[in-house]
């Protein structure tokens, strides 16, 4: 009888059922058997595979000390002699997606076994790891769990048995930027003209060589005269007036907001709060200067080190933000800053 | 967002505790913050020491916007002049 595929499954603290943001510092550990969504993954794998252990780690613990966590993960996984690592699904969760991608790549490189993960195409982990790691495309949130696990189980079986994989579209993983030669019925010139005609007619068409959406930006020239410059504070950490009067979303924000800093020397927890849904905001609620450093910037303004603090704070939430939204918010805020004559910005993410 | 501000000609110090993401996305000026839950602070310190840490981080940010960069670069407190 054929041996069952030995699978290690990776989860963050949330999906492992340990806790939410308050447990995001949980160090890397391993538990025998399947846990949380791993149980459903086990069912999808059927008798061919067995989740022998679940590796788990807090989102912040991993994001802040990735090298240490990766080394620890290898130590913990080794004794189980796995054939495959499956990480996630991470859906739209940035820190989790990043951890899944890093872990998969590290395990492939150091244990010589295949690995796969799953996440939403807009997860930042995709851009960073798609070239090296098989990533099954999922919906943005955990409501898309079932199809994600099904896709992961299907790809898992193929990766381990060494069956040659088909194209990303066929197999359900995100394109890795690899081009394979294949035979076409018509020469390139004919295909190109057909493609052009379809485009001109307004019919749907698909490029044979899709270009990456990723583009480099030219950095702004350095600021020349700090003592004359207006400096703006911008944050992706969701710091808003208490009660969140403009209903900024905790995740997948659809807007950015502006709040006056006029007359404020610093930000206090009585006036402001953190509504970011991607990290535990209680340290920020105690003192919002911890993520929007108005107190120090006012001090530098009073000392004449900077020309002025721009009197408007720009706020959005970065958690689960699709790149297209972030790009638009950035363009809109940049236009305002330029109009106001702002010459430099301090932008705080998380 | 930081990339768009830079593209518009506004030098931007992007503070993050997870530099892997902006480095991968090509954000030009990246500053390593203290931690995800307290990017420019440290609740473990006295209020004076915490404020001093924040001041150093903001000074680093201001140094960074005055620094020419040609590709994504991560700055840490050890580079504060």
């Amino acid at each position: 009888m054929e041996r069952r595929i030995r699978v290690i499954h990776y989860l963050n603290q949330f999906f492992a059922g340990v806790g939410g943001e308050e447990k995001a510092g949980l160090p890397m550990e391993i538990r025998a058997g399947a846990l949380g969504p791993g149980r459903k993954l086990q069912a999808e794998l059927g008798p061919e595979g067995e989740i022998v252990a679940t590796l788990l780690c807090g989102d912040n613990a991993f994001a802040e000390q990735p090298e240490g966590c990766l080394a620890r993960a290898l130590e913990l996984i080794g004794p189980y002699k796995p054939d495959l690592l499956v990480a996630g699904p991470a859906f739209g969760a940035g820190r989790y997606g990043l951890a899944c991608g890093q872990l998969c790549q590290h395990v492939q490189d150091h244990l010589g076994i295949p690995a796969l993960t799953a996440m939403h195409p807009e997860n930042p982990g995709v851009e960073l790891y798609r070239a090296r790691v098989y990533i099954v495309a999922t919906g943005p949130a955990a409501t898309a769990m079932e199809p994600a696990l099904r896709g992961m189980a299907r790809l898992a079986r193929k990766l381990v048995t060494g069956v040659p994989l088909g194209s990303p579209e066929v197999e359900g993983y995100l394109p890795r930027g690899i081009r394979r030669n294949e035979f076409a019925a018509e020469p390139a010139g004919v295909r190109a003209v057909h493609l052009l005609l379809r485009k001109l007619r307004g019919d749907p068409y698909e490029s044979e060589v899709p270009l990456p959406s990723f583009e480099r930006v030219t950095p702004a020239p350095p600021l020349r005269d700090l003592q004359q410059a207006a400096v703006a504070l911008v944050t992706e950490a969701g710091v808003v007036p208490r009660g969140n009067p403009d209903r900024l979303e905790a995740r997948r924000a659809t807007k950015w907001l502006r709040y006056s800093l006029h007359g404020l020397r610093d930000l206090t927890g009585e006036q402001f709060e953190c509504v970011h849904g991607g990290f535990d905001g209680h340290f920020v609620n105690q003192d919002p200067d911890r993520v929007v450093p108005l107190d120090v910037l006012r001090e530098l303004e009073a000392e004449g080190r900077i020309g002025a603090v721009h009197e408007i704070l720009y706020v959005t939430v970065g958690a689960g933000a699709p790149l297209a939204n972030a790009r638009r918010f950035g363009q809109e805020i940049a236009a305002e800053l330029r109009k106001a004559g702002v010459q430099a910005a301090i932008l705080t993410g998380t | 967002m930081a990339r768009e501000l830079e593209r518009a000609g506004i030098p931007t110090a992007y503070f993050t505790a997870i530099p892997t993401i902006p480095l991968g996305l090509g954000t030009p000026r990246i500053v390593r913050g203290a931690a995800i839950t307290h990017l420019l602070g440290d609740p473990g310190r006295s209020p004076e020491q915490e404020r001093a840490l924040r001041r150093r981080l903001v000074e680093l940010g201001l140094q960074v916007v005055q620094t020419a960069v040609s590709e994504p670069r991560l700055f840490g407190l050890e580079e504060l002049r």
Side-chain angles (χ1 to χ4, degrees), chain A residues 220 290 295 299 303 338, chain B residues 6 8 40 50-51 54-55:
Chain A
R290 282 177 176 148
D295 56 350
E299 199 172 270
E303 292 170 14
R338 285 187 65 102
Chain B
E6 289 273 351
L40 290 106
E50 180 176 19
R51 175 115 174 199
R54 179 153 58 249
R55 167 122 185 176

Side-chain angles (χ1 to χ4, degrees), chain B residues 7-78:
Chain B
R7 196 203 298 274
I10 302 163
T12 300
Y14 182 66
F15 282 81
T16 179
I18 317 176
T20 326
I21 298 179
L23 279 171
L25 293 179
T27 305
R29 292 175 169 93
I30 307 162
V31 184
R32 187 191 293 278
I36 291 171
T37 54
H38 44 87
L39 196 60
L40 290 106
D42 182 356
R45 301 185 187 205
S46 72
E48 297 73 32
Q49 284 177 321
E50 180 176 19
R51 175 115 174 199
L53 167 70
R54 179 153 58 249
R55 167 122 185 176
R56 281 161 49 74
L57 282 167
V58 171
E59 284 179 352
L60 174 62
L62 295 174
Q63 176 183 316
V64 165
V65 296
Q66 296 175 86
T67 305
V69 299
S70 52
E71 52 187 41
R73 181 165 160 203
L74 172 64
F75 297 83
L77 266 185
E78 65 284 354

Side-chain angles (χ1 to χ4, degrees), chain A residues 157-174:
Chain A
R157 278 192 290 269
K158 284 207 166 177
L159 280 182
V160 172
T161 49
V163 178
L165 288 185
S167 69
E169 296 75 34
V170 171
E171 305 286 0
Y173 63 88
L174 292 164

Side-chain angles (χ1 to χ4, degrees), chain A residues 91-170:
Chain A
F91 304 106
R95 286 167 298 169
Y96 188 22
L98 201 65
C100 287
Q102 278 178 293
L103 187 65
C104 285
Q105 184 168 323
H106 198 72
V107 162
Q108 286 175 169
D109 289 349
H110 291 84
L111 296 183
I113 59 169
L116 72 96
T117 181
M119 55 189 95
H120 187 250
E122 288 276 4
N123 191 308
V126 170
E127 198 66 54
L128 295 178
Y129 296 103
R130 68 191 310 162
R132 297 283 317 277
V133 173
Y134 286 106
I135 304 174
V136 173
T138 74
T143 45
M145 182 66 85
E146 289 227 12
L149 292 174
R150 214 173 300 132
M152 291 166 87
R154 196 172 57 224
L155 191 62
R157 278 192 290 269
K158 284 207 166 177
L159 280 182
V160 172
T161 49
V163 178
L165 288 185
S167 69
E169 296 75 34
V170 171

